[in-house]
């Protein structure tokens, strides 16, 4: 297949595909799917071998968010029956993080609902970062606190944060249909602030919200332009009680095509398989490891994932290996560039690793189309029949942070 040969060649050279090529990946047939996975897998192995980086989420503050993001169970007006609690104390957050590190997580992601942190919140999270690093030598810490004000990224970095996550989520053209309380540009500005402060930038997307193929390509191309180090790919979890509860637009095959397209556009960045993988990929999750080089271990913010041991078994059974703490995640050219920006120097610092998932890409060259055409692209995503919606797989988190029950790690 000329398209796939061209995309592999470009990926190995860190060259940007054309939009037509990216759209063509999403338009491939089920008969071609394994060929697509195999091609993108060559690019993944070129830059990351067979390593899988594990990340662990700690929800520092759950629910009661004033923003109206339609996909979110913590949004303003959400009727989803999720855990709601205020800020965890630093020792509570450190204890939760330790469970993930004990399970093999290399990075801990500290997340808090809300529009963005106050200066008092930054001080609180800074104490939490220091407590986690004191108790867990070598662990990477990524903060995800919403929109940043001037100077806040620098304070987080001074406290020991390695990275900052803020996802673009969807294309600029459709962003206003998903969220009205802030803008797409607000999100771009926050990613830029993190990058400029010397933090490893992490930014990704959510697929399955009713977007078109063009929207998916737009957001992934925008991510490559922002040049984060990690790109998490989330698949919408349609929580009851949210505006998108009836959006069941994804099949395992479509999820794999989206991951492959992301890998071709962002060949040498950490692409992370994030929320919703259990709901939409289901038994096809091991195949996705040929496309991504990072996953979250165990549970998510407000939903439960598969058992942590099942994640480890899946990685081993698929012929991959968990990335060790002393291993550099990012390819050397990206790790060196990050170190040059002043973000960390040790094995767990930004300068010698990459985050897994939130992601990024390389700024590589933008070459010509390659002389071949793309097949016609459908205007709307394929739909899942109503009787195939797997609502039984949407499990609200009832353990871990904010509860008295042991976390899943």
């Amino acid at each position: 297949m000329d398209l796939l040969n061209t995309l592999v060649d470009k990926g190995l050279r860190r060259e940007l595909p054309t939009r037509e090529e990216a759209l063509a990946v999403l338009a491939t047939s089920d008969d071609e799917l394994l060929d697509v996975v195999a091609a993108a897998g060559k690019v993944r192995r070129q830059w990351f071998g067979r390593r899988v980086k594990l990340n662990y989420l700690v929800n520092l503050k759950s629910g009661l968010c004033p923003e109206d993001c339609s996909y979110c169970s913590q949004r303003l007006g959400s009727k989803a029956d999720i855990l709601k609690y205020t800020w965890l104390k630093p020792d509570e957050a450190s204890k939760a993080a330790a469970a993930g590190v004990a399970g093999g997580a290399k990075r801990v992601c500290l997340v808090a609902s809300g529009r963005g942190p106050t200066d008092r919140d930054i001080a609180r999270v800074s104490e939490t970062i220091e407590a986690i690093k004191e108790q867990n030598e070598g662990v990477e810490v990524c903060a995800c606190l919403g929109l940043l004000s001037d100077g806040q990224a620098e304070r987080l970095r001074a406290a020991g944060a390695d990275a900052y996550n803020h996802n673009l989520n969807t294309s600029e053209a459709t962003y206003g249909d998903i969220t009205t309380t802030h803008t797409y540009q607000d999100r771009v500005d926050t990613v830029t602030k993190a990058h400029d402060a010397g933090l490893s930038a992490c930014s990704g997307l959510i697929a399955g919200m009713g977007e078109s193929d063009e929207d998916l390509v737009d957001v992934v191309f925008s991510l490559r332009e922002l040049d984060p180090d990690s790109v998490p790919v989330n698949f919408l979890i349609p929580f009851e009680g949210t505006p998108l509860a009836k959006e069941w637009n994804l099949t395992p095959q479509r999820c794999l095509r989206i991951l492959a397209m992301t890998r071709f556009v962002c060949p040498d960045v950490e692409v992370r398989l994030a929320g919703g993988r259990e709901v939409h990929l289901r038994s096809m999750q091991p195949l996705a490891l040929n496309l991504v080089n990072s996953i979250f271990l165990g549970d998510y913010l407000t939903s439960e994932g598969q058992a942590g041991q099942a994640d480890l078994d899946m990685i081993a059974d698929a012929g991959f290996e968990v990335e060790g703490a002393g291993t550099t995640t990012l390819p050397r050219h990206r790790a060196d560039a990050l170190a040059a920006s002043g973000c960390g120097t040790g094995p767990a610092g930004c300068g010698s690793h990459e985050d897994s998932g939130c992601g990024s890409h390389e700024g590589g060259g933008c070459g010509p189309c390659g002389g071949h055409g793309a097949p016609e692209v459908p205007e709307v995503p394929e739909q899942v029949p109503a009787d195939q919606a797997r609502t039984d797989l949407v499990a609200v988190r009832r353990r871990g942070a904010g509860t008295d029950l042991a976390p899943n790690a």
Side-chain angles (χ1 to χ4, degrees), residues 145-224:
L145 311 173
L147 302 173
L148 292 175
S149 301
D150 290 344
Q152 291 184 328
E154 287 79 2
R155 290 179 60 189
L156 288 170
R157 180 174 170 239
D162 300 288
Y164 195 84
N165 165 255
H166 199 60
N167 296 329
L168 297 187
N169 290 329
T170 192
S171 69
E172 183 173 13
T174 59
Y175 196 84
D177 298 331
I178 299 297
T179 304
T180 66
T181 47
H182 60 267
T183 66
Y184 178 89
Q185 188 59 46
D186 289 334
R187 287 186 170 266
V188 171
D189 291 346
T190 285
V191 177
T192 302
K193 283 184 172 72
H195 190 276
D196 290 348
L199 290 168
S200 176
C202 175
S203 188
L205 65 143
I206 304 173
M209 297 190 290
E211 69 283 336
S212 67
D213 285 0
E214 287 82 358
D215 291 320
L216 287 169
V217 170
D218 282 349
V219 68
V220 175
F221 270 60
S222 294
L223 287 167
R224 170 145 180 167

Side-chain angles (χ1 to χ4, degrees), residues 347-366:
C350 284
S352 64
H353 68 270
E354 207 312 86
D355 178 344
S356 87
C358 188
S360 102
H361 52 272
E362 214 310 81
C366 183

